[in-house]
Amino acid sequence: MVAMNAIISASELVSDLAGDTPPVLLDVRWQLSVARAAGEPSFDGRAEYAAGHLPGAVFVDLDRDLASASGERGRHPLPDLAAFGAAMRRAGVSSDTPVVVYDGGQGWAAARAWWLLRWTGHPDVRVLDGGLPSWRGDLSTDVPEPAEGDFEPVPHATGLLDADTAAALARSGVLLDARAAERYRGDVEPIDRVGGHIPGALSAPTNDNVAPDGRFLPAEELAARFKALGASDGTEVGVYCGSGVSGAHEVLALAVAGIPAALYVGSWSEWSSDPARPVAVGPDPQ
């Protein structure tokens, strides 16, 4: 996950699309929403896609294709890998073809797709920096029918944490909590059973990795930020969030900075569901 391979600018994408091996485009528009709890309609990524998307892009449903059903393993557990591979092949993803993923600009959903593809062995996946708002070209309402790809997901032996290894890493290395600081402290918890954080984890809100336009900060600024949190060369680093989505965005930011990191996919939604697991509150990691 080298920095140069993690993200791509809109202008670079235009050039790549005109090249000899244009990337497969995946549209993963999704938003974390508590609207349904208030009786309001939830965000509809497929409707947003239908209203206009990058020409040739295929819609990928985060909840259906990039996660399995919520439950004891969290709100967005790992997908069944056979189903994930089938979804990627339907989208035209092959192991020898570059892939560019984008979302509506927040970057979280695109990062989840990037992380899954990378963790399961795809060698060339990038996220459109700034998402759809960074695109200056025309949009399309045509729904492409790509040729079936050949990608077969093979998980890496590293890069994935569970509850036990995340807890251990908080003591032996650096475990970053990518949620908003108020959720880390336990001041508020709008979604999960209880507020707070995994003991020993450090607060590192993922929103601090991007500029106001949603694009990532320069690699050297990100590296300085993570170094100040103890994440640098030779340190084992892990990330979690609420359900393994914004945490993937922090893993992507770390990759831009040149720092490899593992993701605890179950994250706080899994951790906090078990009353036997310890919970720390307040600004102190412990």
Side-chain angles (χ1 to χ4, degrees), residues 29-129:
R29 272 179 275 182
W30 172 91
Q31 286 182 12
L32 175 64
S33 174
V34 293
R36 278 178 291 187
E40 301 172 9
S42 57
F43 177 83
D44 188 342
R46 191 175 291 277
E48 295 288 324
Y49 169 84
H53 51 265
L54 267 62
V58 177
F59 181 72
V60 172
D61 188 308
L62 185 145
D63 293 310
R64 186 189 67 192
D65 300 326
L66 307 181
S68 51
S70 63
E72 292 181 355
R73 295 186 299 132
R75 278 182 280 109
H76 291 104
L78 283 175
D80 174 82
L81 290 184
F84 169 66
M88 293 299 99
R89 291 190 294 275
R90 285 195 303 272
V93 175
S94 289
S95 56
D96 61 351
T97 304
V99 177
V100 171
V101 191
Y102 71 91
D103 58 24
Q106 189 179 41
W108 295 3
R112 172 73 175 222
W114 168 84
W115 180 84
L116 264 172
L117 281 164
R118 290 286 296 179
W119 179 66
T120 55
H122 199 288
D124 189 354
V125 191
R126 289 168 291 172
V127 169
L128 177 58
D129 196 17

Side-chain angles (χ1 to χ4, degrees), residues 5-282:
N5 293 329
I7 58 176
I8 183 171
S9 69
S11 59
E12 289 170 328
L13 179 56
V14 170
S15 176
D16 282 10
L17 288 170
D20 294 335
T21 310
V24 172
L25 297 178
L26 303 181
D27 182 313
V28 199
R29 272 179 275 182
W30 172 91
Q31 286 182 12
L32 175 64
S33 174
V34 293
R36 278 178 291 187
E40 301 172 9
S42 57
F43 177 83
D44 188 342
R46 191 175 291 277
E48 295 288 324
Y49 169 84
H53 51 265
L54 267 62
V58 177
F59 181 72
V60 172
D61 188 308
L62 185 145
D63 293 310
R64 186 189 67 192
D65 300 326
L66 307 181
S68 51
S70 63
E72 292 181 355
R73 295 186 299 132
R75 278 182 280 109
H76 291 104
L78 283 175
D80 174 82
L81 290 184
F84 169 66
M88 293 299 99
R89 291 190 294 275
R90 285 195 303 272
V93 175
S94 289
S95 56
D96 61 351
T97 304
V99 177
V100 171
V101 191
Y102 71 91
D103 58 24
Q106 189 179 41
W108 295 3
R112 172 73 175 222
W114 168 84
W115 180 84
L116 264 172
L117 281 164
R118 290 286 296 179
W119 179 66
T120 55
H122 199 288
D124 189 354
V125 191
R126 289 168 291 172
V127 169
L128 177 58
D129 196 17
L132 188 63
S134 70
W135 181 254
R136 295 293 175 260
D138 294 334
L139 298 181
S140 173
T141 56
D142 295 338
V143 178
E145 296 183 4
E148 183 91 358
D150 65 11
F151 177 66
E152 293 285 351
V154 179
H156 286 172
T158 60
L160 178 68
L161 300 172
D162 60 17
D164 291 339
T165 52
L169 185 56
R171 297 188 297 270
S172 65
V174 173
L175 182 65
L176 301 177
D177 185 318
R179 298 172 301 158
E182 59 268 23
R183 290 185 69 193
Y184 170 88
R185 295 191 301 266
D187 299 345
V188 297
E189 182 43 65
I191 306 172
D192 294 314
R193 187 185 67 84
V194 64
H197 57 270
I198 297 173
L202 302 173
S203 179
T206 199
N207 286 343
D208 292 348
N209 296 322
V210 296
D213 62 3
R215 291 180 174 88
F216 280 104
L217 298 175
E220 59 273 15
E221 291 186 28
L222 290 171
R225 181 195 185 208
F226 293 126
K227 184 177 181 180
L229 290 163
S232 56
D233 291 343
T235 306
E236 191 176 357
V237 181
V239 181
Y240 75 96
C241 56
S243 65
V245 179
S246 67
H249 191 263
E250 186 124 295
V251 173
L252 176 58
L254 283 152
V256 172
I259 302 169
L263 178 65
Y264 173 24
V265 173
S267 285
W268 189 248
S269 57
E270 179 187 41
W271 182 276
S272 64
S273 68
D274 184 349
R277 292 193 184 105
V279 171
V281 295

